[in-house]
Amino acid sequence: MRARQFWNIKNWHWVSSAICLVGMLLFSVTGITLNHPTVFEGDAEITQIETKVPPTIMAGLNAERPLSQAFRQWYQSTTGNPLPDAVNAQWSEFEMYVSLPRAGGDRWFSVDRELHTFYQETTDRGWIAYLNDLHKGRNTHFLWSLFIDVFALAAILFSVTGLLLLKKYAKGRKTTWPLVAAGLLIPVLLLIPNHSSANELKVELPRLSVSEYHPPYLAVWLMDSERKKVADVAIWYDTQLADKEGEKWLKDMRLWWRRSGRFLSMPVDGISGATRQPGSHRIDLKPLTQVISQRPPQSYTLYIEAARELGGREVLQFNFQWPLNKPLQHTEQGDNELGTVILTLEPLND
């Protein structure tokens, strides 16, 4: 009798539904908030700390070694927050930069190697952003990732047992299988790629609810397999400031600046332009594909870097092989300064 109850479809269905209850509600609600980010905007709270680093602490900072215990203790006493054991410090000629992302917010700090100044910015985007990050499993604890896996298995069980129950009780209910077919075909039809927008980059700049918002500077450029710059694709910066004052902040896009920006004389015809407001923006890549079509076949990396005054900095990248054998559409999701970025490329016409 107990064995029969164990294999009973109804029992598995209601047990899996109980396990899925909270998860289904959470992921359904956050699915709506993620799909309508401009409607469900959170209030961002930014906290800044700026101070001098003692000479004895600076002496212990070295790009070749992990962060010293003395710096960790100084950091905790200065900010009130301990540093995690594993810290990925990015070193350049001018600064040390550390990013400490978390669900629903962000924290980063830099240490100027010449001026010995410390600057930290902490952003709390509110509970909506926190729940959205839980939905994505972004910057969350290992146990939450484990919960998502368990929930996914329970949801699969719930769906399969529900389908088996439909089959068992479908007799006399003529709409059962048409509805099942519709539930299968409608998502498939919506996911059929639309190739009308070939060779383009769609960049979403998210709407951030902050007290003082400045549109981000943005650079898009291409590197080849030997890590050499092939071409700049787009450079957006503040072109309205007098005496070209806006060019001074181009170096905030640190990766692009080291690879390309410091060698350029702005503005650059056909590439540079004014900053953009939040929303989705299209960058035509046809001129770029014409350039790389004249080069030997190889792999490339397309970089997108955004930096915002009184905000953060973010870099996304796309790797692809050229020429293509089939259409390519690849999506990357930003964490703060960038939203959804979609690269669409078409093979060369024979």
Side-chain angles (χ1 to χ4, degrees), residues 221-225 227 299-303 316-320:
W221 75 102
L222 188 73
M223 304 282 287
D224 63 15
S225 57
R227 310 298 296 167
S299 60
Y300 292 95
T301 303
L302 186 70
Y303 288 91
L316 296 179
Q317 66 183 62
F318 295 88
N319 299 312
F320 64 93

Side-chain angles (χ1 to χ4, degrees), residues 90-97 110-113 254:
Q90 301 176 25
W91 293 84
S92 71
E93 182 181 354
F94 307 104
E95 70 174 4
M96 177 189 75
Y97 174 84
S110 64
V111 176
D112 191 299
R113 302 179 72 177
R254 294 195 295 271

Side-chain angles (χ1 to χ4, degrees), residues 49-211:
I49 298 176
E50 189 169 6
T51 186
K52 281 280 188 178
V53 182
T56 55
I57 302 298
M58 285 297 305
L61 291 178
N62 192 309
E64 304 299 325
R65 297 196 302 266
L67 295 182
S68 66
Q69 188 61 33
F71 177 83
R72 288 176 174 274
Q73 292 174 352
W74 176 86
Y75 176 86
Q76 183 168 359
S77 64
T78 302
T79 67
N81 299 298
L83 278 174
D85 294 333
V87 173
N88 182 22
Q90 301 176 25
W91 293 84
S92 71
E93 182 181 354
F94 307 104
E95 70 174 4
M96 177 189 75
Y97 174 84
V98 175
S99 178
L100 301 169
R102 58 187 176 83
D106 184 40
R107 178 183 297 131
W108 64 270
F109 68 84
S110 64
V111 176
D112 191 299
R113 302 179 72 177
E114 295 180 341
L115 302 177
H116 295 188
T117 54
F118 171 87
Y119 177 80
Q120 175 173 283
E121 185 171 290
T122 303
T123 304
D124 185 349
R125 296 188 176 85
W127 66 270
I128 292 179
Y130 177 74
L131 294 178
N132 287 345
D133 283 348
L134 291 185
H135 181 109
K136 299 175 182 179
R138 183 171 61 188
N139 301 325
T140 54
H141 194 271
F142 164 76
L143 290 178
W144 179 256
S145 298
L146 181 62
F147 166 77
I148 292 178
D149 291 337
V150 173
F151 165 72
L153 292 173
I156 292 171
L157 181 61
F158 177 73
S159 301
V160 171
T161 53
L163 185 63
L164 292 175
L165 287 172
L166 280 176
K167 181 178 181 298
K168 184 175 181 180
Y169 296 104
K171 187 176 180 180
R173 298 176 181 175
K174 297 180 180 180
T175 59
T176 297
W177 297 118
L179 288 174
V180 172
L184 174 66
L185 292 176
I186 291 175
V188 172
L189 292 174
L190 292 175
L191 289 173
I192 293 177
N194 180 4
H195 298 306
S196 59
S197 301
N199 299 326
E200 69 173 17
L201 185 73
K202 286 185 178 179
V203 179
E204 180 192 17
L205 302 179
R207 295 183 182 274
L208 304 175
S209 180
V210 295
S211 58

